[in-house]
Amino acid sequence: MRLHKVHLTADGSQRQVVLQFSQAPNAIHAFPLSTPTRLVIDVIGPVLSLPSAAYPAKDTLLRRVRVGTHPQHLRFVLDLKGEKLPAFSVEQQGSRVRAVLQTPDRPTPEVRAQILFESPEANSFAQPTPPPADSGSGSPRSAQQVTAAPAPPSPLAPSAPRTEAASAAPRSTPASRPSPARATPSARRPERETQPGLFETLRDRLDVTGYVKNETALRLYSPHQFSKSQNWLQAEIEFELTDWAELTILGRSMFDPVNHLETNIEDFHTSPIDRLEAGDSFQAELRELYLDVLYEDFDIRLGRQQIVWGESIGLRILDVINPQDFREFILNDFIDARIPLWSLRVDYTLSDWTFEGLWLPDFEASRPADQGSEFQFRNLPLPALPIQPPPPFPSVQVGSVRQPEDWRLGDSEVGFRVTRFLRNMDLSLNYLYAWGDFPVPFRRVLGPNTFRFEPRHERFHLIGGSFNYAFDVFVIRGEGGLRLGEHFVSGDPHDRDGVRQREFLSYVLGLDWTVNDNLMANVQFFQNVIFNAPGALVGESVENAVSLFLMSDFINETLYPQLLVLYGINFGDLLIRPQVRYDFSDYVSATIGADFFIGSRSGLFGQFAAPVRTHDRYWTGRNSRIFLEVKRSFAL
């Protein structure tokens, strides 16, 4: 069995990838994978060994098609843009295998066709081979089909997948966004009868997409009021400079007259300026600005971007490269909560191996919610104070936060990752040398009952890896990371600076189950372990949590109910997030849902379940709410 052709057509919200073979395969098997988002198709039968290859595509959804030879089958991997795999179906029709992707989020204005690969023998197979008819029916006897609902998203930062699945125009992420396609000798483009003009040439190289949306949330407990009414405008421009280089610009603005954004973050003095705030209700931000260069087996991305590692859903384990915006705790859209950084990422592909190197000269800390705001952290640890009997009464000073200097070589962050696709398993090995996203509150004793906190960011080494193994309708996944030299607050007043260093392990094990064509389920177990933790450390030395995620679709893939439950075992606290999204069209959607906080205020989720008085208002605690999101996407 030889591969003769790989053909892509883009028609409105539908993509079709057709694999043409010299003879009919014995069987096919398809399953989705995430982080990065991809669809794997195993074509089973007597195969002719061929070297691993990648066929880039110029498309708003499909990045490239990779092929590799395995015993008794060929494996095709469709690398996709975005973090949400759309609904798909894969069917065999004689010697053809057709994958259909339904993507209502990023429609294309016209039909586009590309031949990604064509062998010299393909000309003799230009006409499709009609499959034998099944007696008594009009369907092919050899036809078989695999269908699936959209796979669950993989939020790798502390964020629930509500808006990941709800996005009507999902923005791509660094792990799954394409680099510009490079020309190959076997690639052929559709011939034009006339030479295109300048406007047609620019239009063909320019893609503009985006959305406007409103997110409104209402508190369920006192005070019964709107906790937010955010109005978003986001636009993304992708400009193909050459066959091997592409420029991407993504900007957004947000206006919220209700919650007033609740931010004290100002970085106008930094260079370059990438964020603008007017008053306390309006914010405009350059989210991403990067250049993609594809040269032979190198994939280079330079500029302001997001870099995603890991496989977990709901809580992040390996996804610690970009800092996080916690102004809405972990309820914010996963892809909106991550803070992009100016950085360089270089990928080198060698057969089934991919080597990735990172350099990040830019530093930003994670953004906690402001003091007095709805989602300010309640359980911040501070070192114990060696207080002597008064007088004098204790006096505490707090110094300014010391953080790394941007664009200073010695303060840069670096990382390295090796990935390999081996039979039915994806494997990765990761290393990161980076700064902590939150400052460590070191304590100094200035005199009798006189203390000073001097917060500063500290380095750590992260060694970890991830895997996922697919079989039948299941995918077993996991990831873990060991931090060397992590800093923890001590409750021992006799510690010199109130901080101790320990090794810290964080990992997750999960199972994806495609129950049927309309239901996807995921369960996970999380655990954090501090090695050799003395009893003086503030917080738990071992923390456990579990999660459940369900997502389905009805009414011809227009109605999408889903449920996310996060349960902290140590304190018995819960975050429950049901929601339903309805797609009125390819461009318009509405989502209604709720966020319920339950349990002890000592837990990660329970800290927002009990009322806490701040100043003259009840703001924090009992933060359960209902929300409505209305979204209108566009493509120019």
Side-chain angles (χ1 to χ4, degrees):
M1 182 175 63
R2 297 173 180 268
L3 175 64
H4 281 316
K5 184 183 294 186
V6 179
H7 185 258
L8 166 68
T9 58
D11 184 2
S13 61
Q14 186 180 89
R15 302 293 193 279
Q16 293 191 40
V17 178
V18 178
L19 311 174
Q20 175 70 56
F21 299 94
S22 60
Q23 66 185 70
N26 295 340
I28 59 172
H29 176 56
F31 56 92
L33 293 172
S34 58
T35 319
T37 308
R38 55 212 185 275
L39 174 62
V40 179
I41 305 173
D42 286 336
V43 180
I44 303 169
V47 299
L48 178 68
S49 178
L50 74 163
S52 298
Y55 309 123
K58 296 181 181 180
D59 185 61
T60 58
L61 175 68
L62 180 66
R63 175 184 182 182
R64 62 185 176 183
V65 177
R66 291 181 286 142
V67 59
T69 305
H70 297 265
Q72 301 302 316
H73 74 273
L74 290 175
R75 167 153 292 177
F76 293 86
V77 180
L78 279 58
D79 292 320
L80 305 174
K81 294 186 177 184
E83 298 191 12
K84 182 188 69 174
L85 183 75
F88 70 88
S89 64
V90 181
E91 62 179 359
Q92 177 188 346
Q93 296 177 337
S95 59
R96 288 188 174 189
V97 175
R98 184 188 308 272
V100 179
L101 301 167
Q102 297 288 345
T103 168
D105 297 337
R106 301 194 64 170
T108 53
E110 69 269 348
V111 177
R112 298 180 182 178
Q114 302 175 49
I115 297 178
L116 306 183
F117 167 80
E118 187 174 19
S119 68
E121 298 89 347
N123 293 329
S124 60
F125 292 87
Q127 299 298 324
T129 304
D134 191 4
S135 59
S137 69
S139 60
R141 176 179 298 134
S142 60
Q144 54 178 303
Q145 184 171 359
V146 181
T147 61
S154 293
L156 306 178
S159 170
R162 169 176 65 85
T163 48
E164 288 302 303
S167 292
R171 189 180 53 72
S172 304
T173 61
S176 59
R177 289 283 298 277
S179 298
R182 63 176 180 265
T184 59
S186 59
R188 301 193 312 183
R189 297 175 179 161
E191 297 181 358
R192 297 179 181 267
E193 295 181 0
T194 60
Q195 189 71 18
L198 177 61
F199 177 79
E200 292 180 346
T201 301
L202 290 176
R203 178 64 188 86
D204 188 55
R205 289 178 175 268
L206 186 68
D207 285 316
V208 180
T209 58
Y211 62 81
V212 291
K213 71 175 178 179
N214 173 269
E215 297 179 0
T216 299
L218 177 68
R219 291 175 53 89
L220 296 178
Y221 299 100
S222 178
H224 297 283
Q225 62 186 38
F226 291 106
S227 60
K228 72 171 181 177
S229 181
Q230 296 178 354
N231 301 279
W232 299 72
L233 169 61
Q234 177 168 300
E236 179 178 5
I237 301 173
E238 294 179 336
F239 185 65
E240 183 185 343
L241 303 174
T242 68
D243 287 343
W244 47 269
E246 183 177 86
L247 179 68
T248 298
I249 305 172
L250 190 147
R252 75 178 184 192
S253 63
M254 180 173 64
F255 175 68
D256 186 351
V258 172
N259 196 40
H260 302 296
L261 298 181
E262 294 293 354
T263 177
N264 291 323
I265 302 298
E266 294 183 1
D267 62 352
F268 305 130
H269 63 282
T270 62
S271 178
I273 296 175
D274 49 47
R275 191 176 304 109
L276 171 66
E277 295 175 1
D280 58 2
S281 298
F282 177 80
Q283 175 180 292
E285 184 177 10
L286 175 65
R287 290 288 293 171
E288 297 185 0
L289 172 61
Y290 56 82
L291 176 68
D292 274 320
V293 176
L294 193 64
Y295 176 74
E296 295 184 350
D297 293 321
F298 287 91
D299 186 350
I300 303 170
R301 176 168 293 179
L302 174 64
R304 184 171 172 83
Q305 58 182 296
Q306 299 183 35
I307 301 172
V308 182
W309 285 357
E311 298 283 344
S312 62
I313 293 176
L315 299 172
R316 65 178 186 172
I317 304 297
L318 287 179
D319 184 27
V320 294
I321 299 173
N322 292 87
Q324 184 83 10
D325 188 337
F326 290 101
R327 285 179 293 181
E328 285 192 68
F329 185 45
I330 62 173
L331 306 180
N332 216 354
D333 189 342
F334 162 65
I335 206 157
D336 292 326
R338 194 185 295 117
I339 301 173
L341 296 174
W342 296 92
S343 52
L344 170 67
R345 179 175 64 86
V346 179
D347 287 354
Y348 174 71
T349 303
L350 178 64
S351 185
D352 291 333
W353 297 82
T354 299
F355 302 89
E356 177 181 312
L358 307 176
W359 176 54
L360 299 94
D362 183 24
F363 175 83
E364 284 197 48
S366 288
R367 302 177 196 163
D370 290 346
Q371 288 293 111
S373 65
E374 189 173 16
F375 287 105
Q376 74 170 84
F377 290 128
R378 297 288 94 199
N379 303 325
L380 291 177
L382 290 175
L385 302 177
I387 299 177
Q388 302 176 6
F393 289 100
S395 173
V396 179
Q397 305 173 14
V398 179
S400 58
V401 178
R402 290 173 52 191
Q403 63 182 37
E405 183 179 340
D406 289 340
W407 306 97
R408 182 174 179 268
L409 185 61
D411 286 345
S412 298
E413 298 176 322
V414 294
F416 187 75
R417 177 169 70 163
V418 180
T419 60
R420 186 180 183 188
F421 195 69
L422 181 64
R423 296 184 181 273
N424 292 338
M425 183 178 294
D426 253 345
L427 301 170
S428 80
L429 179 64
N430 308 62
Y431 170 76
L432 182 67
Y433 181 51
W435 295 95
D437 290 335
F438 289 99
V440 181
F442 289 90
R443 183 204 64 211
R444 285 182 58 194
V445 179
L446 303 180
N449 287 1
T450 304
F451 312 98
R452 179 180 175 86
F453 288 129
E454 297 179 339
R456 66 176 184 265
H457 294 268
E458 290 291 331
R459 291 275 200 181
F460 66 88
H461 297 268
L462 173 68
I463 301 174
S466 64
F467 75 92
N468 58 61
Y469 177 75
F471 63 99
D472 197 24
V473 295
F474 300 98
V475 177
I476 300 176
R477 63 177 71 249
E479 66 177 277
L482 176 65
R483 292 198 186 199
L484 306 178
E486 182 76 343
H487 291 76
F488 296 93
V489 170
S490 172
D492 186 351
H494 302 292
D495 279 346
R496 182 176 59 86
D497 54 10
V499 174
R500 294 192 183 185
Q501 284 187 280
R502 289 294 185 271
E503 279 60 58
F504 176 65
L505 173 66
S506 182
Y507 71 90
V508 59
L509 296 174
L511 175 68
D512 296 344
W513 177 24
T514 305
V515 182
N516 53 46
D517 291 347
N518 300 102
L519 179 62
M520 176 74 71
N522 169 271
V523 293
Q524 294 179 126
F525 172 75
F526 298 87
Q527 187 172 73
N528 297 331
V529 180
I530 304 174
F531 291 101
N532 300 317
L537 287 190
V538 176
E540 300 289 304
S541 59
V542 178
E543 293 183 323
N544 303 291
V546 293
S547 71
L548 170 68
F549 179 70
L550 302 173
M551 186 172 70
S552 186
D553 67 90
F554 299 98
I555 315 178
N556 295 324
E557 297 172 359
T558 58
L559 186 67
Y560 294 91
Q562 71 179 47
L563 172 68
L564 172 69
V565 179
L566 291 167
Y567 176 66
I569 297 176
N570 290 49
F571 298 101
D573 55 327
L574 283 161
L575 172 59
I576 304 175
R577 309 198 69 193
Q579 74 151 41
V580 178
R581 181 182 109 232
Y582 182 74
D583 293 340
F584 295 94
S585 69
D586 290 347
Y587 294 90
V588 181
S589 67
T591 304
I592 186 170
D595 304 314
F596 299 108
F597 295 93
I598 303 170
S600 167
R601 69 177 60 188
S602 299
L604 176 64
F605 316 117
Q607 63 181 310
F608 303 115
V612 178
R613 177 178 289 277
T614 60
H615 304 295
D616 59 344
R617 298 180 299 181
Y618 281 98
W619 264 110
T620 59
R622 306 198 79 182
N623 287 348
S624 297
R625 64 185 188 179
I626 58 174
F627 64 83
L628 172 67
E629 176 189 292
V630 180
K631 190 171 188 178
R632 173 64 164 90
S633 304
F634 61 85
L636 305 179

